Amino acid sequence: MNIVLLAPPAAGKGTMSELLEKNYGFIHISTGDLLREALHQENEQAKYLKEIMESGKLVDDSIIMNLVKEKLATSQGHNCIFDGFPRNKNQALALDELLASMSRKIACAIYITVPKEIALKRTVGRRTCPQCKKVYNIYFEVSKPKVENLCDTCQQMLETRTDDTELVFEKRYDTYLKETAPLIDYYQQKGILKEVENQNKEEAFNNIVQILGEL
Ligand code: ADP
C-alpha cells in the first residue's frame, strides 16, 4: 500500500510519517529530507538546492524524480509513504507512471490540514537532532527537549532548518497554494482523497490509522 501525504508546510507530514514508519513498517520517502541530505555534498547542485530551498520555491522536477526513483528502487515492494511529494501536477503524473511501471499504485492521498498560525509556530519553533533526526518544538510543552537545545536521546545540539524562518515560511506557503493545493482536486477526482485535521498529534494519527484500516 502506497500513501501520499499532502499538506501545507509544517502541517505535520513528517511526524505522521514517522509514526506510520515506526508502528506499521512503512518506508518513509520525504523529498525534503532527501534534499537536505544532498545539501551536505559540496558541489554545484548543493549550491542550487540551498538557494531554491531558502527561497521557498520548488526544486526542479527532474532532480526530485531522480531522488524518488533511487529511493524507491531500494524499497523492495515495501509499503511507502510519500511525504512532501508530489508537490505539483507534473510530479503527481510522474509518480503515477513510475508506480504503474512497478505494478504499484497509490492507495490513498491523505490531506493533512492545520490552521496557518499553528503551522507558522511549528515552523519557527522547530528544532531537529542532527544525529537521530528527532524533531522538537520549543513553543509546545509536549515537544520541548528536556534540556534546552539538547536532544533527549543523543545529547546532540539541536539544529534549526535554514528555511524555518517566518519570511521563508510565507513563501513556502504561497508556493504550496499555487503549486501543491491543486493536487487536492487531482486526488479527489481519482476518488482516493481523505482529509485529516492535525491540531492534536494522537488524534490525527488515530484518524489516519482508521482510514488505512478501511482501505
Ligand atoms: P515543508 O513541507 O515543511 O515545507 P519539506 O522538508 O517538505 O518542508 O521541504 C523543504 C523544501 O524542499 C521546500 O520548500 C522545497 O524547496 C523543497 N522540496 C521538498 N520536496 C519537494 C518536491 N517534491 N518538489 C520540489 N521541491 C521540494
Side-chain angles (χ1 to χ4, degrees), residues 7-11 13 30-33 35-36 49 52-61 64 68 83-88 91 123 126 161 163-164 168-169 172-173 175:
K13 297 184 295 282
S30 155
T31 45
D33 286 350
L35 289 168
R36 278 182 287 279
L49 292 178
I52 294 284
M53 290 168 80
E54 288 178 3
S55 73
K57 293 191 197 130
L58 293 186
V59 168
D60 197 80
D61 291 341
I64 299 292
V68 171
D83 159 5
F85 167 84
R87 234 167 167 108
N88 60 24
Q91 292 179 13
T123 301
R126 174 156 55 191
R161 268 168 54 177
D163 61 345
D164 273 347
V168 183
F169 171 83
R172 277 152 65 197
Y173 205 89
T175 303

Side-chain angles (χ1 to χ4, degrees), residues 143-154:
S143 36
K144 270 186 185 168
K146 291 195 185 95
V147 179
E148 202 178 317
N149 263 325
L150 283 189
C151 175
D152 294 350
T153 326
C154 315

